[in-house]
Amino acid sequence: MPQLTLDKTDIKILQVLQENGRLTNVELSERVALSPSPCLRRLKQLEDAGIVRQYAALLSPESVNLGLQAFIRVSISKAKDAREDFAASVRKWPEVLSCFALTGETDYLLQAFFTDMNAFSHFVLDTLLSHHGVQDAQSSFVLKEIKHTTSLPLKHLLKE
């Protein structure tokens, strides 16, 4: 991936895109005070450098009948092949939106969505705990979402 030095205009483009990735190039250029052609060129550079890695629609889980959100801490066998096999399996499980390898007492943290407790139970008993490398799983359910954003903080990139 090409290395790209970001200036204030690039950072502003990134901030605006994080708020609304569906803006047209003209709308984006107006918000960052650039003409459309240079704005499009900068955006293409940000994409080519892998800084902008994708565009997506963010769905409301409740509106698609996925009102039960769980964070599941998973401990697995210490064998290397168990870790690799677990990671490959997690990538195939549509219920799991995020999976993080951790330091500390737990090996992985999964964020998953379910229609209800029956769907959760089925996933844990028939999928997760049936995986050969999994030794233990502990779950916590989300009672209320306090903050959720997909926007990364970029203020540290502005050199004063």
Side-chain angles (χ1 to χ4, degrees), residues 64-90:
V64 292
N65 196 28
L66 292 171
L68 183 64
Q69 182 178 179
F71 286 90
I72 307 167
R73 295 168 302 284
V74 180
S75 298
I76 64 165
S77 163
K78 300 303 177 202
K80 182 179 179 182
D81 63 327
R83 291 191 314 268
E84 291 171 355
D85 190 39
F86 180 77
S89 294
V90 166

Side-chain angles (χ1 to χ4, degrees), residues 84-112:
E84 291 171 355
D85 190 39
F86 180 77
S89 294
V90 166
R91 290 182 188 99
K92 297 175 188 170
W93 297 338
E95 301 88 349
V96 177
L97 271 66
S98 301
C99 176
F100 304 95
L102 304 176
T103 61
E105 295 179 22
T106 302
D107 298 309
Y108 294 94
L109 177 66
L110 310 179
Q111 177 191 23

Side-chain angles (χ1 to χ4, degrees), residues 4 12 17 20 24 35-36 52 55 101 110 122 135 148 160:
L4 189 63
K12 182 67 176 169
L17 279 177
N20 184 352
T24 66
S35 60
V52 175
Y55 297 90
L110 310 179
H122 174 71
Q135 293 180 329
H148 176 82
E160 307 208 31

Side-chain angles (χ1 to χ4, degrees), residues 2 8 27 31 36-37 53 72 88 119 136 141-142 148 160:
K8 287 182 180 184
E27 292 169 325
R31 294 199 189 178
S37 187
R53 65 181 186 190
I72 307 167
D136 188 32
F141 298 101
V142 174
H148 176 82
E160 307 208 31

